[in-house]
Amino acid sequence: MPVRNRSDVASRRETVLRYAIAVAAVALAFTARFVLASILKDQAPYLFFLPPVLLAAGVGGFGPGILATGLSIPLVFFFIANYGTVGWTEVANGAVFVLIGVGTAWIGKRLRQARILALTREAHLQSIIDIVPEATIVIDGRGIIQSFSATAERMFGYTAAEAIGNNVTLLMPSPYREEHDGYIERYRDTGEPRVIGTGRVVAAQRKDGSTFPIELAVGEIWPAGQRFFTGFIRDLTERQETEARLQELRSELAHVSRLTEMGGMASAIAHELNQPLAAIANYLKGSRRLLDGSADERLVILRDAIDSAADQALRAGQIIRHMRDFIGRGGSERQIQSIAKLVEEASALALVGAKDQGIHVTFDFDPRVDLVLADKVQVQQVLVNLIRNAIEAMEESSERNLTVRTTPADDMMIVVQVDDTGSGISEEMAARLFQPFATTKPRGMGVGLSISRTIVEAHGGQIEAGPRAGGGTTFRFTLPAVTKEESSDAHR
Ligand code: ADP
Protein backbone atom coordinates (compact mmCIF):
# COMPACT_ATOMS: atom_id res chain seq x y z
CA MET A 1 0.00 0.00 0.00
CA PRO A 2 1.40 3.42 -0.84
CA VAL A 3 2.33 5.44 2.18
CA ARG A 4 0.67 8.82 2.20
CA ASN A 5 2.26 11.67 4.05
CA ARG A 6 0.42 14.38 5.88
CA SER A 7 0.45 16.89 3.05
CA ASP A 8 -1.09 14.29 0.69
CA VAL A 9 -3.89 13.72 3.16
CA ALA A 10 -4.36 17.47 3.61
CA SER A 11 -4.55 18.12 -0.12
CA ARG A 12 -7.09 15.29 -0.63
CA ARG A 13 -9.20 16.76 2.11
CA GLU A 14 -9.03 20.17 0.48
CA THR A 15 -10.13 18.77 -2.88
CA VAL A 16 -13.10 16.98 -1.31
CA LEU A 17 -14.04 20.20 0.49
CA ARG A 18 -13.91 22.26 -2.73
CA TYR A 19 -16.31 19.88 -4.51
CA ALA A 20 -18.52 19.60 -1.42
CA ILE A 21 -18.90 23.39 -1.40
CA ALA A 22 -20.05 23.26 -5.04
CA VAL A 23 -22.63 20.57 -4.28
CA ALA A 24 -23.83 22.32 -1.11
CA ALA A 25 -24.20 25.70 -2.85
CA VAL A 26 -26.26 24.15 -5.66
CA ALA A 27 -28.40 22.23 -3.13
CA LEU A 28 -29.01 25.44 -1.20
CA ALA A 29 -30.01 27.32 -4.35
CA PHE A 30 -32.34 24.49 -5.34
CA THR A 31 -34.01 24.49 -1.89
CA ALA A 32 -34.52 28.27 -2.00
CA ARG A 33 -35.93 28.10 -5.54
CA PHE A 34 -38.13 25.16 -4.52
CA VAL A 35 -39.57 27.04 -1.55
CA LEU A 36 -40.37 29.99 -3.78
CA ALA A 37 -41.57 27.85 -6.72
CA SER A 38 -45.27 28.47 -6.13
CA ILE A 39 -44.68 32.21 -6.47
CA LEU A 40 -41.95 32.24 -9.14
CA LYS A 41 -43.30 29.38 -11.29
CA ASP A 42 -40.96 29.15 -14.29
CA GLN A 43 -39.71 32.77 -14.05
CA ALA A 44 -35.94 33.36 -14.31
CA PRO A 45 -35.03 29.78 -13.40
CA TYR A 46 -31.28 30.34 -13.96
CA LEU A 47 -30.99 33.33 -11.63
CA PHE A 48 -30.82 31.22 -8.47
CA PHE A 49 -28.13 28.94 -9.92
CA LEU A 50 -25.69 31.62 -11.01
CA PRO A 51 -24.42 32.41 -7.49
CA PRO A 52 -23.55 28.74 -6.75
CA VAL A 53 -21.62 28.53 -10.03
CA LEU A 54 -19.73 31.77 -9.25
CA LEU A 55 -19.04 30.64 -5.69
CA ALA A 56 -17.91 27.15 -6.69
CA ALA A 57 -15.62 28.51 -9.45
CA GLY A 58 -14.31 31.37 -7.29
CA VAL A 59 -13.52 29.25 -4.25
CA GLY A 60 -12.91 25.85 -5.79
CA GLY A 61 -11.62 26.59 -9.30
CA PHE A 62 -12.36 24.83 -12.60
CA GLY A 63 -13.61 21.39 -11.50
CA PRO A 64 -16.08 22.57 -8.85
CA GLY A 65 -17.30 25.34 -11.25
CA ILE A 66 -18.06 22.76 -13.94
CA LEU A 67 -19.68 20.47 -11.38
CA ALA A 68 -21.94 23.28 -10.11
CA THR A 69 -22.90 24.12 -13.72
CA GLY A 70 -23.57 20.47 -14.58
CA LEU A 71 -25.67 19.95 -11.43
CA SER A 72 -27.64 23.14 -12.02
CA ILE A 73 -28.82 22.31 -15.58
CA PRO A 74 -31.17 19.36 -14.74
CA LEU A 75 -32.46 21.24 -11.67
CA VAL A 76 -33.28 24.30 -13.76
CA PHE A 77 -35.10 22.11 -16.26
CA PHE A 78 -36.95 20.52 -13.34
CA PHE A 79 -38.61 23.90 -12.62
CA ILE A 80 -39.17 24.67 -16.31
CA ALA A 81 -40.72 21.28 -16.94
CA ASN A 82 -42.90 21.46 -13.81
CA TYR A 83 -44.13 25.03 -14.18
CA GLY A 84 -43.85 25.74 -17.92
CA THR A 85 -42.94 24.05 -21.17
CA VAL A 86 -39.55 23.03 -22.50
CA GLY A 87 -39.04 24.68 -25.88
CA TRP A 88 -36.09 25.77 -28.04
CA THR A 89 -35.80 29.02 -26.11
CA GLU A 90 -35.17 27.09 -22.92
CA VAL A 91 -32.62 24.89 -24.64
CA ALA A 92 -30.85 27.99 -26.00
CA ASN A 93 -30.95 29.58 -22.53
CA GLY A 94 -29.53 26.38 -21.10
CA ALA A 95 -26.69 26.44 -23.63
CA VAL A 96 -25.85 30.05 -22.72
CA PHE A 97 -25.91 29.07 -19.02
CA VAL A 98 -23.50 26.23 -19.71
CA LEU A 99 -21.19 28.60 -21.63
CA ILE A 100 -21.29 31.14 -18.82
CA GLY A 101 -20.65 28.30 -16.33
CA VAL A 102 -17.61 27.04 -18.26
CA GLY A 103 -16.28 30.59 -18.69
CA THR A 104 -16.72 31.30 -14.97
CA ALA A 105 -15.04 28.00 -14.10
CA TRP A 106 -12.07 28.92 -16.31
CA ILE A 107 -11.73 32.37 -14.69
CA GLY A 108 -12.06 30.63 -11.30
CA LYS A 109 -9.20 28.33 -12.24
CA ARG A 110 -6.94 31.29 -13.13
CA LEU A 111 -7.89 33.04 -9.88
CA ARG A 112 -7.12 29.92 -7.89
CA GLN A 113 -3.73 29.50 -9.58
CA ALA A 114 -2.88 33.14 -8.86
CA ARG A 115 -3.98 32.69 -5.26
CA ILE A 116 -1.85 29.56 -4.85
CA LEU A 117 1.13 31.34 -6.39
CA ALA A 118 0.67 34.31 -4.07
CA LEU A 119 0.35 32.00 -1.07
CA THR A 120 3.46 30.06 -2.10
CA ARG A 121 5.39 33.29 -2.54
CA GLU A 122 4.23 34.56 0.79
CA ALA A 123 5.17 31.29 2.52
CA HIS A 124 8.52 31.41 0.79
CA LEU A 125 9.10 34.99 1.89
CA GLN A 126 7.91 34.16 5.41
CA SER A 127 10.36 31.27 5.64
CA ILE A 128 13.16 33.65 4.65
CA ILE A 129 12.02 36.29 7.11
CA ASP A 130 11.80 33.71 9.89
CA ILE A 131 15.26 32.37 9.26
CA VAL A 132 17.35 35.55 8.82
CA PRO A 133 18.99 36.64 12.05
CA GLU A 134 17.72 40.16 11.46
CA ALA A 135 14.33 41.25 12.66
CA THR A 136 12.11 42.41 9.80
CA ILE A 137 9.50 45.11 10.22
CA VAL A 138 7.36 46.61 7.48
CA ILE A 139 5.76 50.04 7.97
CA ASP A 140 3.54 52.04 5.67
CA GLY A 141 4.11 55.58 4.45
CA ARG A 142 2.77 57.00 7.72
CA GLY A 143 4.99 54.86 9.94
CA ILE A 144 2.31 52.36 10.96
CA ILE A 145 3.64 48.83 11.51
CA GLN A 146 2.24 46.38 8.93
CA SER A 147 4.26 43.29 9.69
CA PHE A 148 6.49 42.19 12.55
CA SER A 149 8.65 39.08 12.20
CA ALA A 150 9.18 36.37 14.80
CA THR A 151 12.74 37.63 15.36
CA ALA A 152 11.33 41.12 15.94
CA GLU A 153 9.00 39.65 18.56
CA ARG A 154 11.94 38.14 20.40
CA MET A 155 14.09 41.25 20.02
CA PHE A 156 11.57 43.83 21.18
CA GLY A 157 9.34 41.78 23.49
CA TYR A 158 6.10 42.74 21.69
CA THR A 159 3.98 40.12 19.95
CA ALA A 160 3.16 40.79 16.30
CA ALA A 161 -0.47 41.37 17.31
CA GLU A 162 0.59 44.06 19.80
CA ALA A 163 2.98 45.78 17.41
CA ILE A 164 0.98 45.75 14.16
CA GLY A 165 -1.17 48.86 13.78
CA ASN A 166 1.03 50.94 16.07
CA ASN A 167 3.39 53.67 14.95
CA VAL A 168 6.92 52.36 14.63
CA THR A 169 8.04 55.07 17.08
CA LEU A 170 6.84 52.55 19.70
CA LEU A 171 10.20 50.83 19.22
CA MET A 172 12.32 53.96 19.59
CA PRO A 173 13.57 55.79 22.64
CA SER A 174 13.34 59.58 22.90
CA PRO A 175 14.25 61.77 21.07
CA TYR A 176 13.80 59.62 17.91
CA ARG A 177 10.31 58.77 19.10
CA GLU A 178 9.25 62.38 18.76
CA GLU A 179 11.29 63.07 15.64
CA HIS A 180 10.53 60.04 13.52
CA ASP A 181 7.29 61.30 11.99
CA GLY A 182 9.24 64.38 10.95
CA TYR A 183 11.91 62.16 9.30
CA ILE A 184 9.28 60.36 7.23
CA GLU A 185 7.62 63.64 6.27
CA ARG A 186 10.90 65.21 5.30
CA TYR A 187 11.76 62.18 3.18
CA ARG A 188 8.36 62.33 1.53
CA ASP A 189 8.85 66.02 0.71
CA THR A 190 12.50 66.07 -0.26
CA GLY A 191 13.21 62.46 -1.26
CA GLU A 192 16.49 62.78 0.64
CA PRO A 193 17.20 59.49 2.42
CA ARG A 194 18.75 59.22 5.89
CA VAL A 195 18.66 55.51 6.63
CA ILE A 196 17.19 54.20 3.39
CA GLY A 197 19.64 52.12 1.42
CA THR A 198 22.40 52.45 4.04
CA GLY A 199 22.87 50.76 7.38
CA ARG A 200 23.01 52.85 10.54
CA VAL A 201 23.65 52.12 14.17
CA VAL A 202 20.86 53.55 16.29
CA ALA A 203 19.21 52.93 19.67
CA ALA A 204 15.99 50.93 19.98
CA GLN A 205 13.62 50.38 22.87
CA ARG A 206 12.17 47.10 24.09
CA LYS A 207 8.70 46.65 25.54
CA ASP A 208 10.14 46.78 29.07
CA GLY A 209 11.54 50.25 28.32
CA SER A 210 15.20 49.17 28.14
CA THR A 211 17.21 50.53 25.23
CA PHE A 212 19.68 48.56 23.15
CA PRO A 213 21.92 49.24 20.16
CA ILE A 214 20.80 48.06 16.73
CA GLU A 215 22.03 48.23 13.20
CA LEU A 216 19.19 49.35 10.97
CA ALA A 217 18.89 49.09 7.20
CA VAL A 218 15.73 50.30 5.48
CA GLY A 219 14.42 49.52 2.01
CA GLU A 220 11.54 51.21 0.24
CA ILE A 221 8.86 49.53 -1.87
CA TRP A 222 5.94 50.87 -3.89
CA PRO A 223 3.51 48.00 -4.49
CA ALA A 224 0.33 49.24 -6.22
CA GLY A 225 1.32 52.88 -5.88
CA GLN A 226 1.48 52.77 -2.08
CA ARG A 227 4.67 53.47 -0.18
CA PHE A 228 6.05 50.93 2.33
CA PHE A 229 9.35 50.75 4.18
CA THR A 230 10.98 47.48 5.18
CA GLY A 231 13.43 47.63 8.07
CA PHE A 232 16.08 44.99 8.75
CA ILE A 233 17.34 45.17 12.31
CA ARG A 234 20.33 43.49 13.86
CA ASP A 235 20.76 43.45 17.63
CA LEU A 236 24.22 44.71 18.47
CA THR A 237 23.98 44.07 22.21
CA GLU A 238 25.85 40.82 22.06
CA ARG A 239 28.55 42.14 19.78
CA GLN A 240 29.11 45.12 22.03
CA GLU A 241 29.12 42.91 25.10
CA THR A 242 31.72 40.68 23.49
CA GLU A 243 33.85 43.66 22.61
CA ALA A 244 33.53 45.10 26.09
CA ARG A 245 34.42 41.73 27.62
CA LEU A 246 37.42 41.45 25.31
CA GLN A 247 38.51 44.92 26.30
CA GLU A 248 38.10 44.05 29.96
CA LEU A 249 40.09 40.85 29.56
CA ARG A 250 42.80 42.69 27.71
CA SER A 251 43.29 45.21 30.49
CA GLU A 252 43.00 42.48 33.14
CA LEU A 253 45.70 40.51 31.39
CA ALA A 254 47.90 43.53 30.82
CA HIS A 255 47.72 44.22 34.54
CA VAL A 256 48.41 40.66 35.58
CA SER A 257 51.09 40.42 32.96
CA ARG A 258 52.94 43.36 34.46
CA LEU A 259 52.47 41.94 37.95
CA THR A 260 53.68 38.49 37.01
CA GLU A 261 56.57 39.95 35.11
CA MET A 262 57.56 41.83 38.23
CA GLY A 263 56.97 38.71 40.25
CA GLY A 264 59.13 36.75 37.83
CA MET A 265 61.90 39.29 38.09
CA ALA A 266 61.69 39.35 41.87
CA SER A 267 61.81 35.58 41.88
CA ALA A 268 64.83 35.59 39.59
CA ILE A 269 66.58 38.21 41.72
CA ALA A 270 65.77 36.25 44.86
CA HIS A 271 67.23 33.16 43.27
CA GLU A 272 70.39 35.02 42.22
CA LEU A 273 70.82 36.73 45.61
CA ASN A 274 70.28 33.65 47.70
CA GLN A 275 73.66 32.16 46.90
CA PRO A 276 75.81 35.24 47.57
CA LEU A 277 73.89 35.82 50.79
CA ALA A 278 74.50 32.26 51.93
CA ALA A 279 78.18 32.70 51.02
CA ILE A 280 78.39 35.94 53.01
CA ALA A 281 76.82 34.21 55.99
CA ASN A 282 79.33 31.34 55.70
CA TYR A 283 82.35 33.64 55.39
CA LEU A 284 81.17 35.62 58.38
CA LYS A 285 80.74 32.45 60.41
CA GLY A 286 84.26 31.37 59.45
CA SER A 287 85.74 34.73 60.37
CA ARG A 288 83.87 34.63 63.65
CA ARG A 289 85.44 31.26 64.45
CA LEU A 290 88.92 32.64 63.76
CA LEU A 291 88.32 35.41 66.27
CA ASP A 292 87.16 33.01 68.99
CA GLY A 293 89.46 32.77 72.02
CA SER A 294 91.13 36.15 71.47
CA ALA A 295 91.17 38.46 74.51
CA ASP A 296 91.86 41.71 72.64
CA GLU A 297 89.14 44.17 73.50
CA ARG A 298 88.87 45.58 69.98
CA LEU A 299 88.59 42.10 68.57
CA VAL A 300 85.69 41.41 70.95
CA ILE A 301 83.86 44.41 69.48
CA LEU A 302 84.73 43.16 65.97
CA ARG A 303 83.34 39.71 66.90
CA ASP A 304 80.03 41.22 67.97
CA ALA A 305 79.91 43.24 64.74
CA ILE A 306 80.49 40.07 62.68
CA ASP A 307 77.77 38.29 64.66
CA SER A 308 75.33 41.10 63.84
CA ALA A 309 76.39 41.07 60.16
CA ALA A 310 75.76 37.29 59.95
CA ASP A 311 72.35 37.74 61.59
CA GLN A 312 71.46 40.40 59.05
CA ALA A 313 72.62 38.21 56.14
CA LEU A 314 70.41 35.39 57.42
CA ARG A 315 67.54 37.80 57.83
CA ALA A 316 67.98 39.01 54.24
CA GLY A 317 67.92 35.38 53.11
CA GLN A 318 64.73 34.81 55.06
CA ILE A 319 63.08 37.88 53.54
CA ILE A 320 63.97 36.59 50.10
CA ARG A 321 62.66 33.11 50.89
CA HIS A 322 59.39 34.61 52.08
CA MET A 323 59.22 36.66 48.92
CA ARG A 324 59.70 33.59 46.75
CA ASP A 325 57.10 31.66 48.69
CA PHE A 326 54.69 34.52 48.27
CA ILE A 327 55.31 34.77 44.53
CA GLY A 328 55.05 31.00 44.22
CA ARG A 329 51.60 31.14 45.74
CA GLY A 330 50.89 34.34 43.84
CA GLY A 331 47.54 34.83 45.59
CA SER A 332 46.08 32.47 43.02
CA GLU A 333 42.36 31.89 42.80
CA ARG A 334 41.55 28.44 41.49
CA GLN A 335 38.17 27.57 40.18
CA ILE A 336 36.66 24.95 37.91
CA GLN A 337 37.07 26.25 34.38
CA SER A 338 36.34 25.03 30.89
CA ILE A 339 39.70 24.69 29.20
CA ALA A 340 38.10 25.19 25.76
CA LYS A 341 36.69 28.53 26.90
CA LEU A 342 39.99 29.57 28.46
CA VAL A 343 41.83 28.73 25.26
CA GLU A 344 39.34 30.48 23.01
CA GLU A 345 39.39 33.67 25.06
CA ALA A 346 43.14 33.73 25.45
CA SER A 347 43.64 33.07 21.75
CA ALA A 348 41.31 35.90 20.81
CA LEU A 349 43.48 38.20 22.92
CA ALA A 350 46.77 36.87 21.71
CA LEU A 351 45.63 37.11 18.10
CA VAL A 352 44.58 40.75 18.35
CA GLY A 353 46.50 42.45 15.58
CA ALA A 354 47.78 39.16 14.18
CA LYS A 355 44.93 38.74 11.67
CA ASP A 356 46.66 40.60 8.89
CA GLN A 357 49.67 38.33 9.22
CA GLY A 358 47.70 35.52 7.62
CA ILE A 359 47.86 33.15 10.55
CA HIS A 360 45.64 30.11 10.33
CA VAL A 361 44.38 29.00 13.73
CA THR A 362 42.88 25.59 14.46
CA PHE A 363 41.38 24.44 17.74
CA ASP A 364 41.07 20.79 18.49
CA PHE A 365 39.36 20.11 21.79
CA ASP A 366 39.02 16.54 22.94
CA PRO A 367 35.40 16.13 24.02
CA ARG A 368 36.41 13.67 26.74
CA VAL A 369 38.10 16.37 28.79
CA ASP A 370 37.21 19.95 29.41
CA LEU A 371 37.07 20.99 33.05
CA VAL A 372 40.23 21.98 34.90
CA LEU A 373 40.91 23.38 38.33
CA ALA A 374 42.87 26.51 37.60
CA ASP A 375 43.39 30.20 38.11
CA LYS A 376 41.80 31.54 34.96
CA VAL A 377 43.88 34.67 34.53
CA GLN A 378 47.15 32.89 35.25
CA VAL A 379 46.46 30.04 32.81
CA GLN A 380 45.40 32.54 30.18
CA GLN A 381 48.67 34.33 30.81
CA VAL A 382 50.49 31.10 29.97
CA LEU A 383 48.40 30.61 26.83
CA VAL A 384 48.88 34.19 25.68
CA ASN A 385 52.64 33.82 26.18
CA LEU A 386 52.80 30.59 24.20
CA ILE A 387 50.57 31.87 21.38
CA ARG A 388 52.39 35.21 21.09
CA ASN A 389 55.74 33.38 21.00
CA ALA A 390 54.35 31.06 18.30
CA ILE A 391 53.12 34.01 16.22
CA GLU A 392 56.46 35.76 16.58
CA ALA A 393 58.30 32.59 15.59
CA MET A 394 56.21 32.33 12.40
CA GLU A 395 56.97 35.85 11.17
CA GLU A 396 59.41 34.57 8.55
CA SER A 397 57.54 31.35 7.70
CA SER A 398 55.59 30.88 4.50
CA GLU A 399 53.23 28.45 6.22
CA ARG A 400 51.65 29.98 9.34
CA ASN A 401 49.58 27.37 11.12
CA LEU A 402 48.83 27.56 14.81
CA THR A 403 47.04 24.69 16.48
CA VAL A 404 45.84 24.57 20.05
CA ARG A 405 44.84 21.08 21.11
CA THR A 406 43.63 19.51 24.34
CA THR A 407 43.95 15.83 25.11
CA PRO A 408 43.53 13.69 28.20
CA ALA A 409 46.71 12.47 29.94
CA ASP A 410 47.46 9.98 32.71
CA ASP A 411 46.94 10.79 36.37
CA MET A 412 43.83 12.87 35.80
CA MET A 413 45.61 15.58 33.87
CA ILE A 414 44.76 17.49 30.71
CA VAL A 415 47.44 18.30 28.15
CA VAL A 416 47.23 21.61 26.36
CA GLN A 417 49.42 21.69 23.30
CA VAL A 418 50.35 24.71 21.21
CA ASP A 419 51.90 23.86 17.83
CA ASP A 420 53.40 26.32 15.39
CA THR A 421 55.10 26.09 12.01
CA GLY A 422 57.69 28.70 12.94
CA SER A 423 61.46 28.88 13.12
CA GLY A 424 61.86 26.22 15.80
CA ILE A 425 64.06 26.62 18.87
CA SER A 426 67.83 26.73 18.49
CA GLU A 427 69.84 24.15 20.44
CA GLU A 428 71.57 26.83 22.43
CA MET A 429 68.20 28.36 23.43
CA ALA A 430 66.56 24.99 24.13
CA ALA A 431 68.79 24.41 27.16
CA ARG A 432 67.88 27.74 28.79
CA LEU A 433 64.34 28.09 27.50
CA PHE A 434 62.58 28.33 30.86
CA GLN A 435 65.29 30.32 32.62
CA PRO A 436 64.59 33.94 33.43
CA PHE A 437 66.07 36.57 31.10
CA ALA A 438 66.80 34.03 28.35
CA THR A 439 65.71 35.60 25.10
CA THR A 440 66.71 35.81 21.44
CA LYS A 441 64.53 38.83 20.75
CA PRO A 442 66.04 42.30 20.60
CA ARG A 443 63.18 43.72 22.67
CA GLY A 444 62.39 40.54 24.58
CA MET A 445 62.49 40.30 28.37
CA GLY A 446 62.92 36.55 28.38
CA VAL A 447 60.66 36.11 31.41
CA GLY A 448 57.51 34.84 29.64
CA LEU A 449 58.40 31.17 29.70
CA SER A 450 59.92 31.29 33.18
CA ILE A 451 56.68 32.80 34.50
CA SER A 452 54.69 30.24 32.51
CA ARG A 453 56.62 27.46 34.15
CA THR A 454 56.10 28.94 37.63
CA ILE A 455 52.36 29.15 36.97
CA VAL A 456 52.03 25.64 35.51
CA GLU A 457 54.08 24.07 38.31
CA ALA A 458 52.11 25.95 40.95
CA HIS A 459 49.03 24.26 39.45
CA GLY A 460 50.68 20.85 39.85
CA GLY A 461 51.43 20.54 36.13
CA GLN A 462 54.48 20.46 33.91
CA ILE A 463 55.55 22.40 30.85
CA GLU A 464 57.90 21.28 28.10
CA ALA A 465 58.87 22.24 24.58
CA GLY A 466 60.18 20.31 21.63
CA PRO A 467 60.43 20.34 17.86
CA ARG A 468 57.21 19.71 15.96
CA ALA A 469 57.19 16.90 13.43
CA GLY A 470 57.25 18.70 10.07
CA GLY A 471 58.94 21.84 11.39
CA GLY A 472 58.21 24.43 14.03
CA THR A 473 57.76 24.02 17.76
CA THR A 474 55.40 22.21 20.11
CA PHE A 475 54.75 23.45 23.62
CA ARG A 476 52.83 21.20 25.98
CA PHE A 477 51.66 21.84 29.49
CA THR A 478 49.44 19.89 31.85
CA LEU A 479 46.73 20.94 34.27
CA PRO A 480 44.73 18.90 36.77
CA ALA A 481 41.46 17.73 35.22
CA VAL A 482 38.16 17.81 37.05
CA THR A 483 35.54 15.18 36.27
CA LYS A 484 31.89 16.11 35.74
CA GLU A 485 30.98 14.40 39.04
CA GLU A 486 33.58 16.35 40.97
CA SER A 487 32.38 19.57 39.45
CA SER A 488 28.77 18.90 40.35
CA ASP A 489 29.88 17.93 43.88
CA ALA A 490 31.67 21.25 44.09
CA HIS A 491 28.56 23.12 43.05
CA ARG A 492 26.26 21.31 45.40
P1 ADP B 1 60.54 36.49 25.16
O1 ADP B 1 59.40 36.12 24.30
O2 ADP B 1 60.41 37.81 25.82
O3 ADP B 1 61.88 36.34 24.48
P2 ADP B 1 60.04 33.97 26.50
O4 ADP B 1 60.51 33.46 27.81
O5 ADP B 1 58.59 33.92 26.26
O6 ADP B 1 60.57 35.45 26.38
O7 ADP B 1 60.79 33.17 25.35
C1 ADP B 1 62.15 32.93 25.43
C2 ADP B 1 62.74 32.55 24.08
O8 ADP B 1 62.29 31.26 23.71
C3 ADP B 1 62.35 33.45 22.94
O9 ADP B 1 63.17 34.58 22.85
C4 ADP B 1 62.53 32.53 21.73
O10 ADP B 1 63.88 32.49 21.32
C5 ADP B 1 62.24 31.14 22.30
N1 ADP B 1 60.89 30.69 21.93
C6 ADP B 1 59.80 30.70 22.71
N2 ADP B 1 58.73 30.18 22.06
C7 ADP B 1 59.17 29.84 20.83
C8 ADP B 1 58.54 29.25 19.67
N3 ADP B 1 57.24 28.92 19.65
N4 ADP B 1 59.31 29.03 18.59
C9 ADP B 1 60.60 29.36 18.58
N5 ADP B 1 61.25 29.91 19.63
C10 ADP B 1 60.55 30.16 20.74
Side-chain angles (χ1 to χ4, degrees):
M1 221 174 94
V3 180
R4 250 190 236 121
N5 61 28
R6 271 174 58 187
S7 64
D8 272 350
V9 173
S11 95
R12 255 179 83 93
R13 250 196 224 142
E14 204 232 294
T15 311
V16 169
L17 186 68
R18 285 192 293 128
Y19 283 91
I21 286 173
V23 174
V26 173
L28 197 68
F30 175 77
T31 313
R33 183 66 177 75
F34 192 77
V35 169
L36 297 171
S38 54
I39 307 167
L40 293 174
K41 307 281 191 233
D42 64 342
Q43 291 295 302
Y46 293 103
L47 203 61
F48 274 74
F49 292 92
L50 270 179
V53 171
L54 288 176
L55 179 77
V59 176
F62 193 71
I66 294 290
L67 177 68
T69 311
L71 286 176
S72 298
I73 286 290
L75 299 177
V76 167
F77 276 84
F78 166 80
F79 292 108
I80 298 172
N82 271 329
Y83 296 94
T85 46
V86 178
W88 282 111
T89 326
E90 278 67 38
V91 173
N93 277 340
V96 171
F97 180 81
V98 169
L99 276 179
I100 292 176
V102 173
T104 313
W106 185 78
I107 294 173
K109 172 181 157 176
R110 300 302 299 261
L111 277 177
R112 199 174 121 74
Q113 278 171 347
R115 216 164 40 230
I116 289 172
L117 192 67
L119 281 174
T120 315
R121 277 205 193 129
E122 202 179 308
H124 189 173
L125 189 65
Q126 194 59 47
S127 74
I128 294 173
I129 286 175
D130 288 346
I131 208 82
V132 290
E134 279 92 2
T136 317
I137 298 173
V138 178
I139 61 168
D140 67 7
R142 289 171 302 134
I144 306 299
I145 301 174
Q146 308 293 313
S147 107
F148 201 72
S149 74
T151 318
E153 290 185 324
R154 279 195 298 278
M155 203 180 278
F156 289 94
Y158 291 101
T159 63
E162 286 171 322
I164 290 171
N166 273 298
N167 195 303
V168 71
T169 53
L170 179 73
L171 312 174
M172 303 171 189
S174 294
Y176 311 107
R177 181 168 279 217
E178 291 74 30
E179 292 169 5
H180 189 258
D181 286 344
Y183 292 161
I184 296 191
E185 247 166 58
R186 207 187 52 128
Y187 176 63
R188 203 165 41 211
D189 297 343
T190 65
E192 224 173 84
R194 272 173 71 103
V195 288
I196 293 156
T198 55
R200 272 175 76 114
V201 175
V202 290
Q205 186 166 311
R206 297 191 189 93
K207 187 179 180 181
D208 65 9
S210 55
T211 38
F212 64 109
I214 58 167
E215 193 175 306
L216 172 69
V218 178
E220 187 184 4
I221 42 168
W222 283 88
Q226 231 191 321
R227 192 199 293 265
F228 288 99
F229 299 103
T230 310
F232 293 95
I233 297 158
R234 181 177 301 171
D235 189 343
L236 295 181
T237 322
E238 217 164 86
R239 198 193 296 171
Q240 295 209 338
E241 266 169 16
T242 315
E243 264 164 28
R245 174 78 193 116
L246 217 61
Q247 191 61 40
E248 201 179 286
L249 257 173
R250 212 174 293 160
S251 54
E252 206 175 313
L253 268 182
H255 176 69
V256 174
S257 153
R258 270 196 303 278
L259 263 185
T260 30
E261 246 165 60
M262 269 168 53
M265 273 168 63
S267 171
I269 292 169
H271 183 81
E272 298 299 322
L273 282 185
N274 227 7
Q275 271 176 351
L277 278 173
I280 291 171
N282 283 338
Y283 281 125
L284 287 174
K285 264 189 217 149
S287 314
R288 169 76 169 69
R289 232 174 279 130
L290 288 177
L291 291 176
D292 266 352
S294 158
D296 189 330
E297 212 169 274
R298 280 187 309 170
L299 287 183
V300 172
I301 296 169
L302 186 61
R303 207 170 57 197
D304 287 347
I306 287 177
D307 271 346
S308 305
D311 282 350
Q312 291 303 322
L314 284 177
R315 206 166 87 86
Q318 259 161 8
I319 290 171
I320 282 168
R321 250 192 309 283
H322 282 155
M323 197 163 97
R324 287 187 67 186
D325 286 350
F326 177 72
I327 294 161
R329 263 186 279 122
S332 101
E333 235 183 78
R334 297 215 191 128
Q335 280 172 349
I336 292 168
Q337 310 278 352
S338 152
I339 191 72
K341 229 167 140 190
L342 282 187
V343 169
E344 272 163 13
E345 258 180 18
S347 312
L349 285 173
L351 288 165
V352 170
K355 256 194 213 121
D356 24 300
Q357 290 179 28
I359 286 165
H360 190 86
V361 187
T362 316
F363 297 115
D364 182 4
F365 301 121
D366 192 308
R368 287 171 295 170
V369 281
D370 187 40
L371 300 178
V372 292
L373 184 65
D375 181 311
K376 178 176 170 177
V377 177
Q378 286 189 348
V379 172
Q380 286 189 329
Q381 179 67 41
V382 174
L383 284 161
V384 168
N385 270 333
L386 296 185
I387 295 171
R388 288 243 167 98
N389 278 344
I391 293 171
E392 281 167 6
M394 290 192 288
E395 260 165 22
E396 308 285 310
S397 309
S398 54
E399 191 193 353
R400 294 178 184 166
N401 293 333
L402 174 76
T403 312
V404 186
R405 184 171 291 139
T406 62
T407 36
D410 298 340
D411 302 333
M412 289 290 297
M413 300 296 266
I414 291 182
V415 182
V416 183
Q417 186 173 331
V418 181
D419 284 0
D420 66 58
T421 53
S423 56
I425 301 168
S426 67
E427 220 169 275
E428 184 260 338
M429 192 66 220
R432 307 185 293 132
L433 203 56
F434 294 100
Q435 283 177 15
F437 311 121
T439 180
T440 53
K441 297 171 194 166
R443 289 156 60 91
M445 287 262 291
V447 291
L449 287 178
S450 105
I451 292 168
S452 299
R453 184 168 69 175
T454 312
I455 291 174
V456 171
E457 286 177 357
H459 278 80
Q462 280 174 342
I463 185 166
E464 59 186 20
R468 190 187 82 101
T473 310
T474 294
F475 272 89
R476 292 156 59 90
F477 68 90
T478 50
L479 288 174
V482 179
T483 59
K484 290 250 158 54
E485 295 83 62
E486 282 174 320
S487 97
S488 53
D489 281 352
H491 283 113
R492 212 166 277 155

